[in-house]
Amino acid sequence: MAYFRRANDPTSLRFVKGYEPNFRRGVLEHARSKSMMYGGTIERFRVLSVNKRIQYLFFAGPDNAWIVPPQTTKTELSSFGVRTIDVPIDENLCVPGYEYHYVDESVDPPEPYSQIPAGFVGHANTHDPDRADASPWIEQMPVIREFRRRLLGS
């Protein structure tokens, strides 16, 4: 559904035709909340894919924007209460604005641990120093640039 054509290159993000977010006519919901970690107001947009089979959640704070893992629009649940159909994506599509990045002291010798793609780690979060800004990765993805342009006007 979403993949990177080249490893470690956020600009190479591609969507299978029909599964790209429909920013023109697919916005189902827009809400606001507050977050200390993200430094103020967070906007949330629920957006359908062009073929209406997938729904995305896009978030934007004062300095960060990101996507959470998309879901199908089918509402059938398993006996465990989860959707019966998964949406296959590259996990690097859904890196949160601030993600874990720290030295793991629980192993000997201590070693670095990060959920941000190598080479794209920003500054540490002031409220949670074990998380770093993932914007150097996220902001290079074409879908985030389009999200900012079409829905945030920036």
Side-chain angles (χ1 to χ4, degrees):
M1 202 262 342
Y3 60 96
F4 293 91
R5 292 179 71 197
R6 292 177 300 280
N8 212 39
D9 180 0
T11 66
S12 72
L13 175 66
R14 299 295 182 270
F15 290 88
V16 173
K17 187 165 177 57
Y19 289 93
E20 58 272 17
N22 185 349
F23 294 119
R24 291 186 184 170
R25 288 182 238 119
V27 177
L28 298 175
E29 181 180 25
H30 176 219
R32 288 185 174 89
S33 61
K34 297 276 186 191
S35 169
M36 289 191 62
M37 181 163 45
Y38 285 96
T41 300
I42 301 292
E43 291 189 79
R44 181 190 71 197
F45 294 84
R46 190 162 58 106
V47 180
L48 281 175
S49 62
V50 170
N51 64 16
K52 299 180 181 173
R53 293 182 180 171
I54 302 292
Q55 58 183 340
Y56 297 89
L57 278 179
F58 285 82
F59 286 84
D63 299 316
N64 304 79
W66 67 99
I67 309 168
V68 300
Q71 296 179 324
T72 67
T73 53
K74 302 270 185 198
T75 57
E76 181 181 331
L77 300 177
S78 73
S79 60
F80 296 104
V82 296
R83 292 179 191 249
T84 58
I85 301 172
D86 251 351
V87 177
I89 57 160
D90 186 302
E91 66 183 19
N92 288 328
L93 172 67
C94 298
V95 176
Y98 286 102
E99 186 58 290
Y100 288 107
H101 179 81
Y102 59 91
V103 175
D104 186 353
E105 303 283 345
S106 70
V107 295
D108 190 24
E111 58 187 48
Y113 175 81
S114 185
Q115 291 181 301
I116 300 173
F120 294 93
V121 177
H123 64 277
N125 184 277
T126 55
H127 294 282
D128 184 351
D130 285 345
R131 293 179 186 251
D133 186 0
S135 292
W137 172 267
I138 297 168
E139 293 296 331
Q140 290 188 50
M141 290 191 297
V143 70
I144 292 295
R145 290 180 178 181
E146 186 178 5
F147 163 66
R148 284 191 174 281
R149 185 175 66 253
R150 291 193 183 271
L151 298 185
L152 300 176
S154 57

